[in-house]
Amino acid sequence: MSADRAATDDTTAPLAPERPVVDGRAKTPEELRADVDELGDELDDERRQHIEELRAEVGETVEQLAARLDAPARVAAAKDEVVATVQDRAVGLKDRVRERPAPIAGVAVLLLLLLALRRRRARRAAGER
């Protein structure tokens, strides 16, 4: 069978003869549950438990996919995370300044002096031209 024909082929063979083919197009979830309930007497507790676990797993997967596709919620979550990180760093910096104000004040004064010298040189260079 060619790849093109396989892609357009709507029939699917079951993995095992006793297992139905579920492609998601033929029945609604309610209809599938009704089918499972009809088989209730034929299913043992282990198989019934397995079905319930698969339902829960599929439900979680759908929720995860929906969350991944919810771009506005992901952007808001990322923004909240960045804001929290910046706030934590600001608090940490504020605490460091309170613990050691003299060295940090000295660095700030040094930076202001360097900025003033740079401006002065820029003005002189502009006046010479």
Side-chain angles (χ1 to χ4, degrees), residues 102-117:
I104 294 176
V107 170
V109 169
L110 181 61
L111 287 174
L112 289 173
L113 286 173
L114 289 173
L115 183 61
L117 287 173

Side-chain angles (χ1 to χ4, degrees), residues 32-98:
L32 290 172
R33 281 191 183 96
D35 289 349
V36 170
D37 290 341
E38 286 176 17
L39 295 172
D41 294 336
E42 298 173 23
L43 296 175
D44 58 6
D45 289 337
E46 184 179 322
R47 291 185 85 182
R48 194 180 297 269
Q49 176 70 25
H50 180 69
I51 290 170
E52 291 304 319
E53 288 172 2
L54 286 175
R55 282 182 184 165
E57 187 178 319
V58 169
E60 289 174 13
T61 303
V62 169
E63 288 175 9
Q64 290 172 355
L65 289 172
R68 286 183 183 177
L69 295 174
D70 190 2
R74 292 182 72 189
V75 168
K79 182 192 97 180
D80 292 343
E81 186 177 325
V82 169
V83 167
T85 301
V86 169
Q87 287 175 343
D88 289 344
R89 288 185 181 176
V91 168
L93 182 60
K94 189 176 175 182
D95 291 342
R96 278 190 250 146
V97 169
R98 284 184 181 159

